[in-house]
Amino acid sequence: TLPLAMALRTSHSLKLNNTTAPRRNTHKIGRTNVRAMAASQDELKKLVGYKAVDDHVKSGMTVGLGTGSTAAFAVERVGQLLKDGTLKDIMCIPTSVRTKEQAEELGIPLCTLNERSELDVAIDGADEVDPSLFLVKGGGGALLREKMVEIMAKKFIVIVDESKLCKALGPGFPLPVEITPFCHEHTMRVVGSLPALKGCKPVLRMGSSATNKPDGDEIAISDNGNYLVDLHFDTPIADTAAAAEQLKNTVGVVDHGLFVGMTYQVVVAGTDGIRVAGTDGEAAWW
């Protein structure tokens, strides 16, 4: 475990755009304290994103770049280390249009799986992580590209803050599923009737594909031109592997947000510091 105070000192010493991140006062109450708590969660995301890159990305590697608010800090760190010469001769594969744009702004060399099918490491966040290190991903709408890239990595490093840890997948975060637009209502009914997903409520994502909160009147479209359905559960998924298999075998489903048996390591930032679960780490403690 890396004590949080030490981790925060390390993080504050990292300069971004030639400025050092200010220390935040978390002792005030009321509205100010809410803002401070939100800022501290961003700080936790930054800590795990930076640590994953520092520990696992070396010169000469092919690296998968994840998508989302936590993964963005890992992308940022890769850009920093390239700029200062710490990293050299690396090639990165982005998992979304958003990540591609961020990486390009930072001058990170990019390619696709068409050029390189094997990756040394991929780093990404998750919406939920259970004690088996099974994941729910896709809240940001990039689950297909994320899975295509990350399943090809020798090491898939998951970076989260402790709010993403759960006893079981399902009730805490809706499970995203990418489906074809053709007869999408039919596909939603089929998905909702799968035995391993009994009791779920399929909800078509509306507005932006990057959030599962409705924010528009148009159907959300993924980077791949597909629709996204979020499966809401009142009770935990009893058999995650069976749910993943049944979804994958459903005609009309492109892919789903269950990442089963893919995780090499989970880097977790919490109020008591940074802890690592999985290979070269400890057993899941939650």
Side-chain angles (χ1 to χ4, degrees), residues 249-262:
N249 289 339
T250 300
V251 178
V253 170
V254 180
D255 219 316
H256 55 81
L258 291 172
F259 285 49
V260 178
M262 291 176 54

Side-chain angles (χ1 to χ4, degrees), residues 28-50:
K28 296 182 179 179
I29 61 174
R31 207 172 284 178
T32 301
N33 192 42
V34 172
R35 287 196 297 268
M37 288 172 65
S40 70
Q41 186 176 35
D42 282 343
E43 193 69 44
L44 296 179
K45 292 178 179 181
K46 177 179 174 181
L47 289 173
V48 290
Y50 279 33

